[in-house]
């Protein structure tokens, strides 16, 4: 086996950065209020392509399913038209559907895929959004305990809620493998333990790992331990780092800095600390949560950038005139 020299490693890392900087993933919150409104749909899709996103994950599907039953081809056309438009008119590579339980994927998201005949109308990934590591939601009286764990004979603690999470992934894996349209299984993960991620990695194609910090300079330190766990798993799913544009996290920072800068900071820090980790964890790109708040931050950033550009242009013109 040839030894990877530092020069070759640099080339590999540059190739990796080129890939993930052009293939961002966006969580679309409040999708229910967007669906069916042509202006809002186009605003969303124009935002994605103008900011380097080629994959989107749709929230609010439980609300969509309530009003437009996703298992019924005669009623789910409104969603089919949106997904078709996203792919065919805007070049979105992948549309994912997010849910909290295996049951929802069976009855709604997978059922929707099965009901549509055209591939461009279907979901390309099944995304599990269930924060099993949150103690308050999993204990007696908590959201997960009352809505999922007790009803499925699971204990309202870390073991019970993780078991439910894993069972949902197993269900999703089975559904994806049955699909005649290629479907990836992915999961959003936060504060996972080593033995948990080893089991999770057996069922997913992609893991979205949250790095919820105010400044990307602290991002790698925040995620380092969990990334090390991922480097040791036998089955290597793709890994995407999630930045949050919420006010409590990077919403403020992104008003004054570009997406690319935040990504470069994380990767550069990782390379300085452990230059081989990028390849060990099958790192692919960055994901952003969420559309509505990110759009506000980037609108502010672009306004400032335009003002700075016009100021520099005027100063250059004044200098040119003074030099004549």
């Amino acid at each position: 086996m040839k030894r990877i020299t530092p020069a070759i490693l640099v080339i590999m890392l540059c190739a990796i950065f080129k890939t993930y900087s052009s293939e961002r993933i966006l969580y679309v919150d409040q999708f229910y209020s967007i669906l069916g409104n042509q202006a809002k749909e186009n605003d969303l899709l124009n935002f994605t392509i103008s900011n380097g996103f080629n994959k989107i994950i749709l929230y609010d599907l439980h609300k969509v399913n309530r009003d437009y039953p996703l298992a019924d081809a005669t009623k789910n056309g409104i969603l089919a038209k949106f997904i078709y438009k996203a792919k065919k008119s805007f070049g979105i590579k992948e549309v994912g559907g997010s849910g909290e339980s295996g049951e929802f994927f069976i009855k709604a998201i997978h059922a929707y895929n099965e009901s549509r005949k055209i591939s461009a109308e279907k979901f390309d990934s099944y995304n599990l959004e269930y924060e099993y590591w949150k103690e308050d939601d999993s204990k007696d009286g908590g959201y997960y305990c009352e809505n999922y764990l007790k009803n499925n004979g699971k204990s309202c603690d870390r073991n019970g809620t993780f078991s439910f999470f894993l069972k949902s992934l197993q269900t999703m894996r089975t559904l994806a493998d049955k699909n005649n349209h290629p479907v990836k299984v992915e999961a959003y993960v936060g504060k996972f333990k080593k033995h948990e991620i080893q089991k999770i990695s057996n069922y997913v194609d992609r893991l979205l790992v949250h790095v919820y910090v105010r400044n990307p300079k602290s991002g790698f330190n925040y995620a380092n331990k969990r990334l090390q766990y991922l480097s040791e798993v036998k089955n290597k799913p793709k890994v995407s780092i999630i930045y949050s544009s919420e006010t409590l996290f990077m919403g403020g920072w992104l008003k004054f800095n570009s997406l690319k800068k935040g990504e470069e900071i994380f990767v550069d820090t990782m390379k300085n600390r452990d230059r081989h980790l990028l390849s060990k964890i099958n790192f692919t790109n960055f994901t952003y949560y969420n559309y509505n708040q990110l759009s506000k931050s980037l609108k502010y950033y672009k306004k400032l950038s335009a003002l700075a550009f016009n100021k520099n242009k005027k100063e250059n013109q004044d200098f040119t005139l003074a030099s004549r």
Side-chain angles (χ1 to χ4, degrees):
M1 181 181 292
K2 293 183 179 180
R3 187 175 70 88
I4 298 178
T5 65
I8 293 175
L9 182 62
V10 169
I11 294 173
M12 292 171 61
L13 295 177
C14 288
I16 291 173
F17 184 79
K18 184 177 180 181
T19 297
Y20 72 64
S21 63
S22 62
E23 293 192 354
R24 299 183 177 108
I25 302 173
L26 179 66
Y27 273 108
V28 181
D29 61 316
Q30 301 178 33
F31 179 64
Y32 176 76
S33 66
I34 296 171
L35 183 64
N37 184 313
Q38 295 301 310
K40 289 183 178 181
E41 287 185 359
N42 292 339
D43 284 345
L44 163 63
L45 295 171
N46 280 315
F47 176 85
T48 62
I49 60 174
S50 64
N51 288 286
F53 294 96
N54 69 345
K55 302 175 184 178
I56 56 176
I57 301 171
L58 306 181
Y59 276 160
D60 275 0
L61 292 180
H62 63 292
K63 294 180 181 179
V64 176
N65 186 53
R66 178 193 64 202
D67 292 352
Y68 310 101
L70 294 182
D72 189 341
T74 66
K75 297 179 180 179
N76 62 24
I78 188 172
L79 177 60
K81 289 179 181 178
F82 170 81
I83 295 178
Y84 186 91
K85 177 171 69 172
K87 295 179 184 179
K88 294 298 185 179
S89 299
F90 289 84
I92 300 299
K93 182 179 178 182
E94 182 180 315
V95 177
S98 186
E100 286 185 339
S101 69
E103 182 180 12
F104 186 72
F105 284 93
I106 292 172
K107 294 182 177 180
I109 296 177
H110 180 71
Y112 165 82
N113 262 19
E114 292 290 284
S115 76
R116 307 309 304 183
K117 304 303 180 185
I118 301 174
S119 183
E121 295 176 347
K122 298 186 179 187
F123 287 115
D124 307 290
S125 64
Y126 295 166
N127 174 275
L128 183 59
E129 176 83 13
Y130 180 95
E131 299 172 308
Y132 72 84
W133 54 91
K134 287 192 171 182
E135 294 183 3
D136 287 345
D137 286 341
S138 302
K139 67 183 182 182
D140 194 49
Y143 174 77
Y144 290 146
C145 176
E146 299 303 323
N147 288 280
Y148 294 115
L149 303 181
K150 287 183 177 179
N151 295 337
N152 287 277
K154 303 291 185 182
S155 57
C156 290
D157 54 24
R158 178 83 176 218
N159 289 334
T161 198
F162 176 70
S163 176
F164 181 82
F165 176 88
L166 200 64
K167 180 64 176 177
S168 292
L169 282 182
Q170 292 171 340
T171 298
M172 293 161 63
R173 179 79 271 162
T174 299
L175 295 174
D177 291 344
K178 287 180 179 179
N179 215 301
N180 58 12
H181 172 75
V183 173
K184 299 181 180 70
V185 175
E186 60 188 22
Y188 156 54
V189 287
K191 298 177 181 180
F192 53 81
K193 297 178 180 180
K194 186 175 182 178
H195 73 277
E196 293 171 345
I197 206 63
Q198 288 174 340
K199 293 179 180 179
I200 291 171
S201 65
N202 291 324
Y203 300 101
V204 297
D205 300 296
R206 181 191 295 135
L207 283 171
L208 310 176
V209 181
H210 87 213
V211 178
Y212 287 0
V213 293
R214 286 182 174 272
N215 190 307
K217 289 182 178 180
S218 61
F220 179 70
N221 286 337
Y222 180 81
N224 186 17
K225 187 175 182 180
R226 289 175 292 144
L227 296 181
Q228 292 295 337
Y229 290 161
L230 274 169
S231 72
E232 298 172 17
V233 300
K234 182 178 179 181
N235 298 305
K236 301 283 186 185
K238 292 180 179 180
V239 173
S240 182
I241 296 298
I242 306 178
Y243 278 155
S244 172
S245 57
E246 294 171 287
T247 304
L248 287 174
F249 301 110
M250 278 177 55
W253 191 90
L254 288 167
K255 287 183 176 180
F256 302 93
N257 300 276
S258 68
L259 299 178
K260 185 175 181 180
K261 182 177 180 180
E263 295 163 359
E264 288 177 336
I265 288 172
F266 185 90
V267 174
D268 287 344
T269 305
M270 190 189 302
K271 286 190 292 186
N272 290 334
R273 300 288 182 84
D274 186 345
R275 65 182 185 181
H276 297 288
L277 187 57
L278 273 174
S279 58
K280 288 180 180 178
I281 63 171
N282 197 14
F283 175 66
T284 57
N285 57 12
F286 284 85
T287 297
Y288 288 81
Y289 177 87
N290 56 47
Y291 162 61
N292 280 283
Q293 290 174 302
L294 181 62
S295 62
K296 292 176 183 177
S297 291
L298 294 192
K299 182 178 180 180
Y300 188 87
Y301 169 72
K302 290 177 180 179
K303 181 179 179 180
L304 288 183
S305 298
L307 290 173
F309 175 80
N310 291 332
K311 180 181 179 181
N312 289 336
K313 183 178 180 180
K314 185 177 185 305
E315 290 175 348
N316 289 335
Q317 290 173 338
D318 292 343
F319 177 78
T320 300
L321 291 173
S323 300
R324 291 177 178 177

